[in-house]
Amino acid sequence: MAVFSCEQIKALAPDAASFASACRVAKRTKTLISFGRSSRAVWGEYSCRYSRRSNSRVQIDLTTCECSCFCSDYKFPCKHILALMLLESEAKISESVEPDWVVNWLNEQAERKSLKAQKDAEREAKRNAKAQKIVDSTEVAKRKSASKRTADKRAKQVAEGFDELKIFLSDLIRGGVVNLERSWNTRKMFEERSKRLIDAKAPGVAALVEQCGDRLWDGEDWRERLLGRLGRLALLVEAYSKIDDAPEDLASEIRQTIGWKIPQKDVLASGERIEDRWFHLGATRIVGKRFQTTSSWMIGERTGRLAHALNFESERQISLDALNAPSVPLEGALRFYPGVVKLRALWEQASPPIPRPSHITPTPKFALTIPEFFANVAERLGRNPWLERFPALLRGVVVRPRVVQSWRRSFCEDYVLYDAQGNFMRIEAKDAVDKEVFWLFVAASADRAIEVFGEWDDNENKLKLLSGWDCGRALIVDGNPA
Amino acid sequence: MRESTIKEAFVGSRQDESEIWRLLLQCGAESTADVASRPTPPDATVVDFALDERAPLNDEEYWTTLATFRNVFDDRSPTHIFVREIGACNEPFNYFLERIATSGKRVPSERLYSFAKELDNLGFAPLDLWLAPRFQDASVRIFSLLFGRLGLWASKISPKDELRRFLPTLLPTEVFESSADEQKATRAWREGTDDERVAVLAQLRRRDPARARELLSEDWKNLKKPGVKENCLKELLVGLSESDLEFLEGLEKKTRDPFTLVILRDLLARIPTSKRAQTTFERAEAFLKNPDALNALGTTEEERARFNYESPDGRSLRAAFLALGRVPLARWEEVLAASPKEIRARLLDAQELPTFSAAQLRSFALFGASDEWFEVCCESFADVFREEPYEKRYRTWSLLYLTNPLVHHAVERFLFAALKTGRVDYFQRLRAIWNEKERVFGTRLSFEYRLLQKAIQYAPYPWSEEQARLFCDMLLEQIASPERKIPQDAKAIFAPGGSPSDEELDRRRRLFAYVLAYAPRAVREERRDFLAKGIDAFTPDEGLVKLCLDACAWRERFDRLFGSPENEVRSSI
């Protein structure tokens, strides 16, 4: 059963505004009229001005963490769900009998789940039956040729898309990038090219092309940045044209960059296996249109190997891992995706919980200084020039605001971290949440050298801070005080 | 990336297909090389921020420092509860800050969160200061004291203007301390908001009264927003002297606004050599010697209606009331050569007794008086609110005293001296008089809440059990009543500004928890048990119960750590 804490709820909120609204809803007895809880679920009724019903309803299944709310908010979890969680976390909801609508909803959920399990079982049975049929060599050959045909078809589509991309890039350079500045529909041009690449089954490249049109004129060095991006795209096109001659790992890396997906079973069967005691370094959660992605970073105690695990969940489900994570490092084996950088990994056992480092330290010997980190970035870029985000486990850094004085007050001009030699990295502070995390780090760092972990964004040249440690003690974990 | 490559690609000089492609690949390769060999030039500004000038406290020192709160508990009333509410923050809070400052150390930064929570439990604001950006501006001194220069930075970042008005109260030391800051102060006066101007004026007036007067006279015409002129004038009370006479008299001639005029004339009446002071004393003396002279002033309805405006010839009931109120009560004794009780006895037969009573209250509030007058003023209070027509006339003024910062110290002496141990009955009597007259339940509640705030703020601490019970009961009534007592149609006339919002209720709940935390142990336990069971028809909500239980538990923990103040000799203010 899920037990929510305020920090977890804050982390689950899609943005700071939603959390603030939820706090208000939780306080306003006028809005949230009644609520109750049982061992299976928490529910509530609230008055809604725009609803046809007199009261709208919100409910959370405590066993699966599935939620439902009648509001039309496009954000998930909505403020009503968060408010209900807040009330639950503050133990303001007393035990009561489940009303009919909650019982019906829970039954529907259970039915849907059993139906899905049944369908899965049927599908598995069919597959097994088919596998038993394929005994003769002709059938095997037929299947192999079919899969080869599919692969060839995709390769052809990608090649066609790349040919067009090559012409597009050449045209841009022939006319000169200066023309982009004069054109009124530059962004649209990149978007259309990106859509064409999605049709050509190259979603990874499509994203890179779309990025080119994104915030195009920002900063004084926009020409350099744009040319760099276009150049890297050209490198990718060139690399793909010679993929047959490339070593297996590099070929796999290029394919993954373009957008080929490697089935999990292949990774589990043949991926590099590393057994270690894995420490959680930090995690971020991105809520997309259809699903949410939890991206967590780990480090092996013995090997010092960094690993990146991605976890996809449906949009309407709250991550159980994030809620029920134990506070100990995990002993186990990871399988790494093939490639030259080898960061992305899978747990050998199905969905182990994410460890949280409230009592642990990443072994300091693996933490790097700022110059060492950039050397590491250079080495990785040498192997894969299309990498954009790098895990940064840094030691001996101080998080500080860079302050500008005026006659009336001081302004925080920039958010940075420094080391003793004065090397610095700028910190990402796009929104209020980022800024709050930054101030937490400032408070925790308190002008002492600490160890931090974050994601370095090569495009923005900024570090997204996630966790911090001091003398073996966790200070901040995933942007929340430990 | 090389400059030549950028130029070539930017202008589009190449036309051959293979050349173009080569240029693109060159861009990619050079860009990757740039990123890979990114230099990180050391930043010179980092050197300026070498910290920290004060060492952090160790564990033992930390707990000892925390124990300084005991002084706040023992000697002072918990005024700081109101920091977040009305911005009133006086001695105890500053005293506490000074204690931290004089220790020569700062709170260890890793304890920032827990320490801030401790402060929050005590009713201090730093948790808000840290977490809420709206408090950051007011926290410069607090942060620098508690958390060293790091805190100073934190407090200076992204300040908001809305709490600027708290600065003068939170930062009693002058910001513009030396004449070197003169230019800065002048600039702040010219470019600042109205509240900032008042703050600057307050600081300047303490240091250089003439300069403050000069600034005010220069800009008098530009102070157009309602209330700003009044607030600026109130600051002149500090260091008021004969040198201000010419300036004030000049203003009096120019001013037409009745509210500004009242304050101007109050100030002038305080300068003995002024013409206004002399005429005021003469007029008051005449009325005191011949109370029946007042009867002629307010006989007709029209004249009663004119009460709201002080007539230029000074021949109105209101002018008489103000003139009497501007004379200290000690002077009343001199003129009539009688003790307060005798004066009261003489005036009892006067037809316009409530006017005399209201004037007594006003004088008491403005100048203060001996304890003997307090008894008399309590009876005067009853007079003013006993008679329907008078009550309407003087109520505005009575309420004005309560909210007027110029006189609140005097008011607390008058109204809340009743709250001294053993005088709760007197307070209840005043309260009963008020309640009897005020039939609109909402107005009564909001007035009582104001009374309660003042009472908690100024009643000597530790409170007696009787006092603590009174506070608890009054607060519970505040919390319970909107749902329990007010009929639906009465909510429409719930004044001021409708029924208390959820936020207001929350504030009352929180205040109740604080009061419980500061109450004597017997009352604390008693009320806690009540809360758990429910009181009469009022069933407290779970939020309130949790808040109160937390506060009680925290207080017990505190007492275990530092000993209970109830075992020691009570001090008094």
Side-chain angles (χ1 to χ4, degrees):
Chain A
M1 197 174 73
V3 180
F4 312 110
S5 74
C6 191
E7 282 75 28
Q8 285 170 337
I9 298 165
K10 205 170 181 184
L12 283 172
D15 52 37
S18 292
F19 184 72
S21 309
C23 291
R24 276 198 294 277
V25 172
K27 274 185 192 171
R28 287 178 74 91
T29 45
K30 278 181 199 163
T31 312
L32 213 50
I33 298 163
S34 65
F35 35 79
R37 76 185 306 285
S38 68
S39 56
R40 296 195 296 168
V42 195
W43 61 90
E45 280 189 280
Y46 58 91
S47 62
C48 183
R49 204 183 297 170
Y50 306 109
S51 170
R52 285 181 190 173
R53 296 158 183 267
S54 55
N55 293 331
S56 287
R57 290 157 180 177
V58 54
Q59 49 218 345
I60 304 170
D61 187 340
L62 287 176
T63 48
T64 59
C65 272
E66 286 196 17
C67 314
S68 135
C69 181
F70 280 77
C71 75
S72 53
D73 198 346
Y74 65 92
K75 291 178 187 171
F76 182 82
C78 68
K79 61 184 174 186
H80 304 108
I81 294 174
L82 293 172
L84 199 64
M85 285 179 174
L86 279 170
L87 289 171
E88 166 72 4
S89 73
E90 288 165 15
K92 283 184 180 171
I93 305 180
S94 51
E95 289 272 347
S96 54
V97 183
E98 289 170 2
D100 289 345
W101 54 274
V102 175
V103 175
N104 289 344
W105 179 70
L106 287 172
N107 291 345
E108 273 172 27
Q109 297 276 71
E111 268 174 37
R112 201 179 305 142
K113 222 175 278 168
S114 67
L115 211 66
K116 193 178 172 235
Q118 204 179 326
K119 270 187 185 170
D120 284 350
E122 279 172 16
R123 205 176 298 135
E124 192 64 25
K126 264 186 193 172
R127 202 177 293 143
N128 289 340
K130 231 177 191 176
Q132 276 175 359
K133 266 188 198 172
I134 308 166
V135 281
D136 58 332
S137 58
T138 54
E139 193 70 26
V140 173
K142 214 190 267 180
R143 286 188 67 79
K144 268 187 182 171
S145 70
S147 65
K148 192 172 180 299
R149 263 203 310 279
T150 316
D152 287 348
K153 194 182 165 191
R154 182 168 184 188
K156 199 182 159 195
Q157 279 175 321
V158 171
E160 280 172 8
F162 272 21
D163 286 345
E164 287 173 19
L165 178 66
K166 196 172 173 178
I167 294 167
F168 171 76
L169 293 174
S170 299
D171 284 350
L172 279 181
I173 298 297
R174 186 177 294 112
V177 180
V178 68
N179 285 331
L180 287 179
E181 210 173 7
R182 292 176 196 151
S183 173
W184 57 274
N185 62 347
T186 310
R187 191 187 170 125
K188 204 173 172 190
M189 200 167 72
F190 280 110
E191 274 175 10
E192 277 171 8
R193 184 52 41 200
S194 161
K195 281 177 191 166
R196 174 69 195 96
L197 282 162
I198 288 173
D199 291 343
K201 305 272 173 64
V205 189
L208 291 176
V209 170
E210 201 173 348
Q211 270 176 17
C212 290
D214 208 22
R215 293 203 280 166
L216 196 62
W217 319 119
D218 279 8
E220 287 174 3
D221 60 338
W222 69 270
R223 290 169 208 159
E224 205 173 331
R225 273 191 297 119
L226 179 66
L227 283 173
R229 282 179 181 179
L230 296 178
R232 283 198 227 183
L233 274 172
L235 284 179
L236 190 58
V237 172
E238 195 67 21
Y240 184 67
S241 68
K242 293 170 185 164
I243 197 163
D244 296 336
D245 305 331
E248 201 182 325
D249 275 350
L250 182 60
S252 175
E253 191 84 47
I254 292 168
R255 281 203 190 89
Q256 283 176 66
T257 311
I258 291 170
W260 258 277
K261 295 237 171 357
I262 300 177
Q264 285 196 0
K265 61 177 182 183
D266 290 358
V267 179
L268 290 173
S270 59
E272 187 190 0
R273 184 176 185 277
I274 308 262
E275 200 167 338
D276 206 333
R277 197 155 169 255
W278 296 97
F279 290 116
H280 173 89
L281 289 177
T284 51
R285 203 168 61 96
I286 301 158
V287 180
K289 284 175 189 166
R290 284 165 54 201
F291 54 84
Q292 47 183 327
T293 314
T294 311
S295 150
S296 53
W297 291 92
M298 289 166 285
I299 190 166
E301 188 191 23
R302 295 185 286 272
T303 55
R305 184 79 181 258
L306 282 162
H308 184 211
L310 287 173
N311 190 21
F312 301 96
E313 268 149 347
S314 91
E315 181 211 1
R316 296 268 146 186
Q317 193 177 4
I318 289 165
S319 171
L320 271 176
D321 286 349
L323 290 175
N324 293 332
S327 56
V328 286
L330 272 194
E331 185 78 49
L334 285 175
R335 290 278 189 174
F336 283 80
Y337 279 69
V340 283
V341 182
K342 284 188 183 165
L343 282 174
R344 198 172 159 197
L346 278 179
W347 283 100
E348 207 169 46
Q349 267 100 41
S351 65
I354 300 168
R356 299 178 79 81
S358 48
H359 308 296
I360 60 163
T361 326
T363 320
K365 66 180 176 182
F366 296 125
L368 307 172
T369 60
I370 295 178
E372 282 169 358
F373 166 71
F374 281 119
N376 188 278
V377 167
E379 191 259 331
R380 280 177 198 208
L381 276 173
R383 283 188 275 160
N384 178 357
W386 305 286
L387 275 181
E388 286 184 336
R389 293 185 89 83
F390 301 86
L393 180 57
L394 302 166
R395 66 183 153 87
V397 291
V398 179
V399 184
R400 287 170 175 175
R402 195 187 284 171
V403 179
V404 176
Q405 301 280 348
S406 79
W407 73 272
R408 267 171 79 178
R409 58 187 72 157
S410 306
F411 294 99
C412 178
E413 184 201 45
D414 212 349
Y415 304 90
V416 283
L417 61 79
Y418 294 93
D419 67 7
Q421 286 72 44
N423 297 312
F424 71 97
M425 289 164 89
R426 291 172 68 205
I427 290 167
E428 194 173 290
K430 276 189 291 196
D431 51 22
V433 179
D434 282 347
K435 282 178 189 163
E436 199 182 318
V437 172
F438 170 78
W439 284 109
L440 276 175
F441 271 92
V442 172
S445 165
D447 220 46
R448 289 166 307 174
I450 57 169
E451 286 132 31
V452 299
F453 177 78
E455 277 182 5
W456 172 254
D457 186 341
D458 207 38
N459 276 330
E460 300 284 330
N461 278 348
K462 281 182 182 173
L463 181 76
K464 184 179 176 65
L465 284 174
L466 292 174
S467 306
W469 298 264
D470 178 34
C471 304
R473 203 159 49 85
L475 302 170
I476 293 161
V477 180
D478 302 345
N480 295 315
Chain B
M1 205 181 287
R2 272 184 280 170
E3 197 60 37
S4 59
T5 316
I6 297 172
K7 263 187 193 167
E8 217 172 327
F10 191 68
V11 182
S13 55
R14 293 189 193 182
Q15 294 301 318
D16 181 45
E17 194 66 37
S18 61
E19 284 287 302
I20 288 171
W21 192 245
R22 199 170 300 141
L23 181 63
L24 263 170
L25 294 177
Q26 193 180 333
C27 285
E30 283 181 15
S31 157
T32 312
D34 280 354
V35 175
S37 60
R38 180 185 289 110
T40 53
D43 186 359
T45 56
V46 71
V47 183
D48 297 339
F49 295 114
L51 294 182
D52 193 348
E53 74 285 6
R54 281 185 287 145
L57 303 164
N58 61 30
D59 265 10
E60 195 187 330
E61 286 167 339
Y62 168 74
W63 285 108
T64 321
T65 314
L66 200 62
T68 56
F69 292 135
R70 269 304 301 278
N71 298 309
V72 181
F73 269 130
D74 293 352
D75 300 341
R76 323 284 165 125
S77 63
T79 310
H80 49 270
I81 290 176
F82 293 94
V83 170
R84 65 184 78 217
E85 247 181 78
I86 53 176
C89 173
N90 51 22
E91 231 181 325
F93 192 57
N94 292 321
Y95 170 79
F96 146 74
L97 291 177
E98 292 305 332
R99 288 296 293 264
I100 297 266
T102 49
S103 72
K105 292 191 174 181
R106 64 177 168 84
V107 175
S109 301
E110 66 271 18
R111 288 208 183 266
L112 193 144
Y113 256 75
S114 61
F115 187 76
K117 276 180 185 162
E118 288 289 347
L119 292 182
D120 191 42
N121 280 330
L122 284 154
F124 289 102
L127 188 61
D128 282 347
L129 290 175
W130 180 249
L131 297 176
R134 72 196 181 91
F135 268 104
Q136 280 180 2
D137 192 31
S139 60
V140 177
R141 185 157 168 259
I142 300 162
F143 265 83
S144 60
L145 281 171
L146 296 184
F147 306 115
R149 278 181 60 190
L150 177 77
L152 193 64
W153 285 352
S155 63
K156 280 185 172 178
I157 308 304
S158 52
K160 294 274 157 98
D161 285 331
E162 61 183 290
L163 283 207
R164 276 195 172 271
R165 64 203 165 89
F166 291 139
L167 272 175
T169 47
L170 281 171
L171 309 175
T173 51
E174 279 76 17
V175 177
F176 308 113
E177 277 167 349
S178 64
S179 55
D181 289 330
E182 183 67 44
Q183 206 180 350
K184 214 193 255 183
T186 314
R187 195 173 168 189
W189 167 262
R190 287 195 182 131
E191 296 177 16
T193 62
D194 289 333
D195 293 331
E196 281 171 341
R197 286 175 153 211
V198 176
V200 170
L201 197 71
Q203 287 161 15
L204 267 182
R205 184 72 184 172
R206 283 177 182 87
R207 186 166 59 79
D208 185 356
R211 178 72 187 133
R213 193 176 57 237
E214 207 176 299
L215 278 184
L216 188 61
S217 68
E218 274 173 21
D219 253 12
W220 181 254
K221 280 184 190 170
N222 301 330
L223 304 174
K224 282 174 184 163
K225 276 193 185 172
V228 181
K229 281 183 179 172
E230 284 94 311
N231 289 338
C232 288
L233 279 179
K234 281 170 196 168
E235 297 303 337
L236 296 189
L237 189 67
V238 179
L240 189 71
S241 66
E242 284 184 19
S243 53
D244 297 316
L245 188 60
E246 195 184 337
F247 169 65
L248 291 174
E249 280 179 342
L251 286 188
E252 195 193 4
K253 281 175 195 164
K254 283 187 234 165
T255 308
R256 293 284 171 273
D257 176 45
F259 296 101
T260 316
L261 263 181
V262 169
I263 296 173
L264 262 175
R265 287 174 182 170
D266 279 349
L267 290 172
L268 280 170
R270 281 171 181 258
I271 305 173
T273 52
S274 74
K275 205 179 161 189
R276 171 65 55 184
Q278 284 162 15
T279 49
T280 305
F281 290 145
E282 281 166 16
R283 207 174 289 168
E285 202 173 334
F287 287 130
L288 283 173
K289 284 186 176 164
N290 179 18
D292 292 336
L294 275 181
N295 301 349
L297 296 175
T299 46
T300 63
E301 279 302 313
E302 195 192 345
E303 278 161 338
R304 283 186 187 282
R306 273 169 53 201
F307 182 81
N308 284 335
Y309 298 96
E310 195 170 1
S311 67
D313 57 359
R315 295 184 58 76
S316 72
L317 202 57
R318 185 168 182 269
F321 156 70
L322 287 169
L324 284 166
R326 282 178 189 139
V327 177
L329 289 172
R331 187 71 184 262
W332 287 39
E333 289 178 49
E334 274 175 35
V335 170
L336 298 174
S339 69
K341 281 188 183 165
E342 285 167 358
I343 294 173
R344 164 94 186 147
R346 274 193 216 175
L347 293 175
L348 267 180
D349 299 331
Q351 192 187 329
E352 283 289 336
L353 171 65
T355 306
F356 281 106
S357 304
Q360 267 173 22
L361 295 183
R362 189 163 201 271
S363 175
F364 195 106
L366 284 175
F367 302 101
S370 61
D371 278 354
E372 211 178 337
W373 271 105
F374 173 73
E375 292 280 343
V376 175
C377 283
C378 277
E379 287 168 24
S380 303
F381 187 84
D383 286 342
V384 172
F385 296 105
R386 192 166 290 140
E387 301 287 331
E388 189 72 26
Y390 294 113
E391 182 251 331
K392 271 185 191 162
R393 198 194 298 165
Y394 296 111
R395 192 176 63 193
T396 322
W397 286 101
S398 308
L399 286 176
L400 188 69
Y401 301 147
L402 288 176
T403 52
N404 187 348
L406 191 70
V407 294
H408 73 265
H409 288 296
V411 174
E412 50 102 358
R413 280 185 62 193
F414 160 58
L415 267 182
F416 302 107
L419 284 167
K420 281 182 184 168
T421 317
R423 302 294 290 273
V424 173
D425 55 330
Y426 231 164
F427 179 80
Q428 293 285 36
R429 209 180 100 192
L430 296 176
R431 194 181 163 209
I433 295 166
W434 175 264
N435 287 352
E436 197 185 316
K437 283 293 154 197
E438 187 48 71
R439 294 199 181 85
V440 182
F441 188 68
T443 314
R444 211 175 79 201
L445 269 189
S446 57
F447 178 75
E448 276 203 356
Y449 185 56
R450 271 211 301 276
L451 279 185
L452 195 61
Q453 280 184 333
K454 295 277 177 194
I456 295 172
Q457 201 171 347
Y458 293 110
Y461 189 80
W463 304 321
S464 69
E465 289 186 9
E466 212 175 355
Q467 278 173 310
R469 265 190 209 105
L470 177 76
F471 296 152
C472 286
D473 290 346
M474 282 175 76
L475 264 173
L476 264 185
E477 199 178 340
Q478 293 279 330
I479 297 163
S481 47
E483 285 89 6
R484 192 165 60 116
K485 286 182 181 170
I486 303 176
Q488 197 60 35
D489 54 340
K491 280 191 179 176
I493 51 168
F494 204 102
S499 62
S501 60
D502 287 350
E503 209 173 302
E504 285 284 313
L505 268 180
D506 262 5
R507 202 174 283 172
R508 284 158 172 76
R509 284 193 185 106
R510 206 166 169 79
L511 184 59
F512 182 70
Y514 285 138
V515 166
L516 218 54
Y518 283 86
R521 181 183 286 175
V523 180
R524 203 161 60 231
E525 284 171 1
E526 180 187 301
R527 292 299 178 221
R528 193 181 53 193
D529 294 346
F530 270 152
L531 273 178
K533 287 172 198 161
I535 309 157
D536 300 333
F538 167 57
T539 313
D541 58 283
E542 284 181 35
L544 176 68
V545 175
K546 190 168 181 292
L547 208 59
C548 294
L549 292 182
D550 279 354
C552 293
W554 166 81
R555 179 63 202 265
E556 272 157 27
R557 189 164 65 86
F558 191 89
D559 285 348
R560 267 202 307 279
L561 278 170
F562 305 118
S564 168
E566 284 150 41
N567 301 332
E568 295 166 23
V569 183
R570 271 190 187 153
S571 57
S572 59
I573 295 177

